Amino acid sequence: MTRDTTRRAVLASVLAAGSAGLAASDAADLLDSFAPLSGEAWDAADRSLPETVESPHGAATVARDEFGVPQIEADEEPAAYFAVGYCQAFDRLFAMDLQRRVMRGRLSEVIGEATLDSDEFNVAMGFADAAAATWDAVAETRAGPLVEAFADGVNAAREDLPLPLEFELIGYEPEPWTPVDSMLMEKQISWTLTGSFAELRRALVADRLGSERAETLFPTRYDHDDPILDGTETRLSEGTGAESLRGAGERAPNLEATSNVGGGADPVDPELTDWLSGFESPTGVGSNSWVVSGEHAASGSPIVAYDPHLSLQAPPLWYEQSVDTPERSVRGATFSGVPFVIAGANDRGTWSFTNLGADVLDCYRYDIDEAGDRYEYDGEWRPFEVDERETIPVAGGEDREVRVRRTVHGPLIEREDQTVGVAWTGHTATRTTVAIEAYGRSEGIDDLLDATRNFDLPTQNLVYADADGRTLYFATGKLPIRRTDGEVVDGDRVFDGSAGEGEWAGFEPFGESSWEGFVPFAEKPHAIDPDALSTANQRPIDDPIHYVGVDYATPYRGARIADRLEGTIDGGEGSTDPDFHRALQNDVRDGRGPELVPELVAAVRDRDDPDPPLVDAADALDEWNYRMRRDSRAALLFARYLPKFRERVFEPAFSDGGLGESYYPSDWTLARLPDDDPLFEGRSRGDLAAAALRDALDEIGEEGWETYGDYNTTRAMTHPLGGEAAFLNYDELSADGSPATVKNYRVESAVGSSWRMVVRPGTDATAVLPGGNSGDYFSEHYDDQLRRWLGNDQRPMPLGAGGEPAVRFDPPTEGSQ
C-alpha cells in the first residue's frame, strides 16, 4: 500500500485488493453497505500517535519496538497506566468496545437482530452487575487507582484520535470507558475459560441413552498415567512450612463425595440446553505450559514455555505491552481493556496459565408458581431477588424486552417458558485484577503465593519460575464445596434448587462473598519447586483432596510434552535450552494416530474386495509418522477420516436419542470402544472404518485438496466484521498442527496457540502473536507476525525501557483545561 497517495485512494485500493472480485471503483459501495461515509472514514487510513499527550496523571514516555509493542516508562504508576490505556485504545479500541458490548448485552444496538440471542443471554446472566460488584471490591485496593488511570487514558485517546475504521463501517461512536468495563473484561476472560453447561448435556445424554451408556461414553475420569502431579511433589502446609504431597492427598472422611453421571434433578429441556451450550467456550479452548528447573537448563536458570489455546481472530485476543516504573519492569501479554500484563515476565520471575478444567458453575431446577413471581426454596415460596424487565435496543428493528430474575444461587435463565438457575463463581465480587497487578511487582515465589490468594477466577494452572531458581505450580481460583443435606457431593449433575441441593456456603451472587464453603488455599493442587512439570488441561492429580471437576482434556498433548521433557532431561544436567522448548512448542505428532490408524489400515487390507483408492490411502497412512504437517497427504487423510468415522459410529444411536454431533464422545473414548460395544451391534468396527475412509476420499476429491495444508489454513482467523468486510481478514495461509498436537491449531473452531513465549526469568525471553499487535488494518503491525507465528519464529521480548520515545505524556500546563 502506498502511503503518499490520497487517503480515499488508499482505502479504495486496499478494499479492492482484499475483497475477491471487487474493483477499486466499487470499494465505496461496499462501505456504503455498512453506513454512510464521512471524512472520518478516510482519516482512519492514516491514524498515528501524537508526539505529545496531556496527562493528568503525570509524565510518561512511549517507545515502539519494531513490532509495534508499546514500551512505557514513567516515574509514577498512574502515569504509566494512563499511557497504557492510551496505547491500547489507539491499537485496539474497536475490539475493546466490541467485547464490552457483548458482555453488556448491547451488541444488537449497533448490529441489529442477528445478535439478539447473545444479548438476551448476557443480559440474563448479569455479567455487567457482577463487574460492578467486582469494581466496588477492587476500587479500594492498590490496583484501583491504576485501573482508573487506565480508563482515563482510553478516554483521552477516544477523544483525541480518529476512530478506527470499524466504527465508521458500522456507523456509531463508542461511549466512554469506565473501570467497570475493565472488570467486565475480567468476567469475559473468566467466562471464556470456565463457563460450561456440561452437566446439562450429561443429564440429557443419561436421560436419552441411559445412565450406564452415559458413564461408558462420557467417563468422569480418563484412564491414563499423565496427570499434572504424580503425588510425590512438595506442597504447602497450612502454616509456613512444606510437606510431601504423598500422604496429604487423602480425602478427609467428611469430604467423601458421591458422583452419579447425569444424576440429580430432571434434565433441562433440550432446546434450552442446546441454546445455552451456544454461549460456552469455543470447542478446544485449553493451553500448554511447562517448567524445568535450572538443573536441566544449559544456563542453570529455570525455563518456562507457554502457549494458551484460545480463539484465533484478527486482531489477536492478546495485546503485548511493556511497563517500566520504579515499582515494576514487566512485559508480556494482556487482553484488550485489561491494564495489567496477565502472562509474561518481570525482572525477577515469569508466570503463565492453562485452564484447570474446574467445575465452578452449577445448574438448578426450581418449582416456580404459575404467575412466575415466586420460586420454592428451603420450604417456602420466595419472590425472586430481582424481577424486572430490561430493554435491549435493536438497530433497524423493534427493541426486545427481557425479564431478569435471580434466585439465592444467581440468575434464572429462561427460554420458551423453560428455566434453569445458574450459580457461577464469577457472579460475585472477585479480586483477580488485584492478583494480576501484584504479579507484575512480585520479587519472588513468596510474593507470587501471596498474590495468588486473591486470584479468585478463572480457575487456572499457574506455572511460575524466578531468577532465584524457584519453581511453582498452583491451581488458582475459588473451588466450591457443594453440600446436599449436609453431605459433600460432586458438581457433575443438575441440582434441585428448591430442595436445597448443591449449596455453596459463603457465596453471595452480585455481592461480596466470604468464600467460607470453598476449598482452602493450601488444599488446592499445587507443587513447590517441582523439578520438571507440564500442564495441558489434563486432570491435575490422581487422588485430589477435594472434587475439582470432570471436564479435563484428553491426555494427548500432556503425554507428548511429558514424554519429550522426560526423554530430554534424563540426559543429565543442562540438557535443555530455549531452542529446545521452542522446538517442543512446534511438535506436531498427533497421539490419536497410533491409536486409530493401525486398525484402519488393517480394516482396508482385510477386505475381500480390494478398492485401489482405499488401499492407496491405507498404504500412505501405514507409512505415516503421525505428524500433522501442512505438506503431508497422510495428515490430510487422517484429519478428514476422523470426523467421518465419528459420524458413522455415533450418529445412529445419538440421532435416535435426539442428540446431534455436538454431543458425540471424545476421540479418546472412540479409540477405546471395544468391538462388542452396543454401538457396533449389527455392524463391524472395521467396516465402519473403511467406509469412513471412503467418505473422506470423496470429500478430498470434491474439494481438490492435495495435502493437509490445503485444508488446514488460517481461513478461520477472521475479523468480527470479516463476513461483510473480508478485506479485514488475515491472508489464508497453510498451517501445521491439529486439536491433539502440542502445536495446537483447530481450523474447525478457530482455536489454537493464541500467544507463545519462552522465558528464562531475569534474563532472556521470546514471544510471538498470531497476527500483529495492532488492530488498525492500515498499520504495518496488523499482521506482521502471522508468518512468524505459523513457524513459531519467536522474536525477543526484552524488559526495560524502549528506544527513542515516540510519544511523551506531559502533565497539564498551568491554566490548561
Side-chain angles (χ1 to χ4, degrees):
M1 182 172 67
T2 305
R3 296 283 178 177
D4 58 358
T5 56
T6 67
R7 286 176 295 194
R8 184 178 181 92
V10 167
L11 188 54
S13 63
V14 168
L15 286 169
S19 301
L22 182 68
S25 60
D26 295 329
D29 292 338
L30 174 64
L31 292 178
D32 287 341
S33 69
F34 287 94
L37 290 175
S38 68
E40 293 177 0
W42 318 125
D43 291 340
D46 61 355
R47 295 170 69 247
S48 60
L49 284 166
E51 292 183 0
T52 60
V53 175
E54 187 174 279
S55 167
H57 295 279
T61 60
V62 176
R64 292 259 180 172
D65 71 10
E66 61 178 312
F67 294 97
V69 177
Q71 298 171 297
I72 295 155
E73 185 177 12
D75 290 333
E76 302 291 337
E77 294 267 272
Y81 282 97
F82 178 88
V84 169
Y86 200 97
C87 290
Q88 282 199 21
F90 173 74
D91 286 322
R92 298 288 187 91
L93 184 59
F94 179 71
M96 293 165 63
D97 187 69
L98 188 68
Q99 287 303 323
R100 170 175 62 170
R101 283 189 171 276
V102 169
M103 295 301 286
R104 289 188 178 276
R106 294 274 304 278
L107 199 53
S108 300
E109 184 177 21
V110 297
I111 299 297
E113 294 181 354
T115 55
L116 263 174
D117 273 3
S118 170
D119 284 349
E120 286 189 22
F121 172 77
N122 289 304
V123 166
M125 284 291 284
F127 292 124
D129 290 342
T134 293
W135 174 241
D136 288 342
V138 171
E140 302 303 317
T141 70
R142 190 186 189 286
L146 305 185
V147 176
E148 291 179 316
F150 172 87
D152 290 344
V154 172
N155 290 322
R158 184 184 66 88
E159 295 166 3
D160 291 351
L161 304 172
L163 291 175
L165 176 64
E166 292 94 330
F167 290 106
E168 188 66 22
L169 293 179
I170 298 175
Y172 78 99
E173 294 186 2
E175 296 174 359
W177 191 264
T178 70
V180 173
D181 291 326
S182 287
M183 301 303 102
L184 196 59
M185 297 303 96
E186 177 193 307
K187 301 300 178 185
Q188 187 268 333
I189 298 161
S190 297
W191 179 257
T192 296
L193 294 168
T194 67
S196 170
F197 294 105
E199 60 259 50
L200 298 184
R201 292 191 298 279
R202 281 194 293 269
L204 194 58
V205 169
D207 180 67
R208 298 296 176 84
L209 302 183
S211 59
E212 185 176 341
R213 283 271 74 197
E215 290 177 7
T216 298
L217 298 175
F218 300 94
T220 57
R221 172 191 170 103
Y222 287 124
D223 185 17
H224 64 81
D225 298 323
D226 295 288
I228 296 171
L229 304 174
D230 65 13
T232 64
E233 293 86 358
T234 300
R235 55 169 280 148
L236 294 173
S237 66
E238 191 53 73
T240 58
E243 60 186 13
S244 170
L245 189 57
R246 187 176 298 283
E250 299 175 2
R251 280 183 172 172
N254 67 331
L255 293 179
E256 287 291 349
T258 60
S259 177
N260 59 335
V261 176
D266 292 336
V268 172
D269 179 80
E271 290 189 10
L272 178 56
T273 295
D274 287 345
W275 187 74
L276 288 171
S277 296
F279 303 109
E280 294 179 307
S281 304
T283 301
V285 162
S287 303
N288 302 322
S289 189
W290 60 87
V291 60
V292 297
S293 69
E295 179 182 351
H296 302 296
S299 65
S301 300
I303 300 175
V304 168
Y306 178 47
D307 58 294
H309 308 156
L310 298 172
S311 295
L312 298 171
Q313 59 190 45
L317 287 176
W318 294 96
Y319 179 82
E320 189 177 349
Q321 63 188 39
S322 174
V323 179
D324 196 71
T325 70
E327 289 82 6
R328 79 187 71 213
S329 181
V330 59
R331 178 162 177 174
T334 186
F335 291 100
S336 305
V338 176
F340 311 113
V341 166
I342 295 172
N346 64 14
D347 54 349
R348 297 292 303 155
T350 182
W351 54 94
S352 63
F353 303 95
T354 67
N355 213 17
L356 177 61
D359 184 355
V360 296
L361 182 150
D362 283 347
C363 294
Y364 301 84
R365 299 299 303 265
Y366 303 100
D367 293 325
I368 299 174
D369 67 14
E370 290 187 9
D373 299 324
R374 299 181 303 164
Y375 68 104
E376 188 176 8
Y377 176 75
D378 199 20
E380 64 180 15
W381 288 94
R382 296 191 177 192
F384 290 99
E385 274 91 73
V386 172
D387 192 355
E388 60 188 31
R389 304 280 177 172
E390 185 163 334
T391 299
I392 299 174
V394 181
E398 292 187 15
D399 292 350
R400 178 71 59 86
E401 195 174 73
V402 177
R403 186 178 189 181
V404 176
R405 291 183 284 179
R406 293 173 188 164
T407 73
V408 295
H409 301 114
L412 186 78
I413 309 299
E414 180 176 6
R415 185 76 172 172
E416 304 295 336
D417 297 325
Q418 300 293 324
T419 61
V420 64
V422 177
W424 177 55
T425 53
H427 275 135
T428 192
T430 51
R431 290 173 173 78
T432 298
T433 294
V434 177
I436 291 296
E437 186 276 327
Y439 282 3
R441 294 181 288 106
S442 62
E443 296 186 359
I445 194 171
D446 291 336
D447 289 347
L448 236 289
L449 284 168
D450 286 344
T452 302
R453 292 178 182 273
N454 283 319
F455 201 113
D456 298 333
L457 188 77
T459 43
Q460 298 284 284
N461 298 301
L462 165 65
V463 171
Y464 169 81
D466 65 29
D468 296 325
R470 304 294 303 276
T471 59
L472 173 72
Y473 162 80
F474 221 101
T476 72
K478 302 301 186 184
L479 302 174
I481 299 176
R482 300 150 172 93
R483 295 182 183 272
T484 298
D485 296 330
E487 298 295 321
V488 174
V489 296
D490 287 353
D492 56 339
R493 70 199 69 187
V494 180
F495 291 112
D496 185 339
S498 290
E501 293 182 353
E503 296 291 275
W504 299 0
F507 181 70
E508 183 65 34
F510 306 103
E512 282 269 7
S513 292
S514 70
W515 306 109
E516 64 190 59
F518 287 68
V519 173
F521 184 74
E523 294 179 15
K524 297 174 186 176
H526 66 274
I528 306 297
D529 290 318
D531 190 43
L533 180 145
S534 59
T535 81
N537 317 117
Q538 72 272 47
R539 68 174 181 270
I541 190 169
D542 282 335
D543 185 22
I545 302 174
H546 300 274
Y547 168 80
V548 176
V550 297
D551 286 337
Y552 301 122
T554 55
Y556 297 113
R557 287 182 289 115
R560 180 62 174 169
I561 295 167
D563 286 348
R564 286 200 58 185
L565 285 177
E566 182 178 353
T568 301
I569 65 178
D570 282 351
E573 295 185 6
S575 50
T576 76
D577 59 16
D579 285 340
F580 165 82
H581 295 282
R582 285 186 286 266
L584 179 49
Q585 288 178 330
N586 243 5
D587 191 291
V588 292
R589 186 181 189 273
D590 193 316
R592 299 171 300 177
E595 294 183 341
L596 291 163
V597 166
E599 69 169 3
L600 170 59
V601 172
V604 171
R605 290 176 175 172
D606 289 346
R607 291 170 60 93
D608 293 331
D609 53 337
D611 182 335
L614 281 183
V615 172
D616 177 68
D619 289 345
L621 287 166
D622 193 31
E623 296 172 2
W624 182 40
N625 61 4
Y626 307 128
R627 268 64 173 178
M628 303 300 289
R629 299 193 185 282
R630 67 188 82 175
D631 60 355
S632 169
R633 176 173 178 258
L636 172 64
L637 292 169
F638 182 68
R640 301 317 304 146
Y641 160 74
L642 261 181
K644 311 300 183 185
F645 188 43
R646 283 188 216 111
E647 183 176 10
R648 285 194 173 265
V649 172
F650 296 126
E651 193 276 336
F654 279 72
S655 179
D656 288 346
L659 303 172
E661 64 179 309
S662 63
Y663 287 87
Y664 291 174
S666 71
D667 290 336
W668 178 269
T669 297
L670 175 63
R672 283 155 182 78
L673 288 174
D675 292 343
D676 60 354
D677 187 273
L679 289 171
F680 301 121
E681 185 175 353
R683 55 197 191 142
S684 82
R685 181 176 177 124
D687 287 346
L688 293 177
L693 183 57
R694 165 50 65 193
D695 296 338
L697 287 174
D698 289 344
E699 179 193 25
I700 290 169
E702 291 170 4
E703 296 291 342
W705 296 324
E706 296 290 339
T707 64
Y708 185 48
D710 295 332
Y711 161 73
N712 201 56
T713 72
T714 58
R715 67 182 181 280
M717 298 168 61
T718 60
H719 187 281
L721 303 184
E724 296 294 332
F727 67 94
L728 293 171
N729 295 337
Y730 290 147
D731 291 342
E732 183 173 340
L733 303 171
S734 296
D736 301 316
S738 78
T741 58
V742 177
K743 188 175 187 178
N744 204 254
Y745 184 60
R746 306 155 191 245
V747 68
E748 297 89 352
S749 57
V751 168
S753 299
S754 58
W755 159 259
R756 295 192 190 100
M757 70 177 190
V758 173
V759 182
R760 291 191 304 154
T763 56
D764 58 285
T766 59
V768 71
L769 281 166
N773 210 42
S774 175
D776 183 345
Y777 177 78
F778 299 102
S779 168
E780 63 182 318
H781 305 302
Y782 186 71
D783 61 356
D784 58 339
Q785 297 181 57
L786 180 61
R787 285 169 174 79
R788 281 181 171 266
W789 171 80
L790 286 167
N792 195 27
D793 179 15
Q794 297 182 29
R795 70 293 182 295
M797 188 178 75
L799 293 169
E804 187 69 24
V807 186
R808 296 186 182 276
F809 291 82
D810 297 324
T813 58
E814 186 176 350
S816 64
Q817 299 296 315

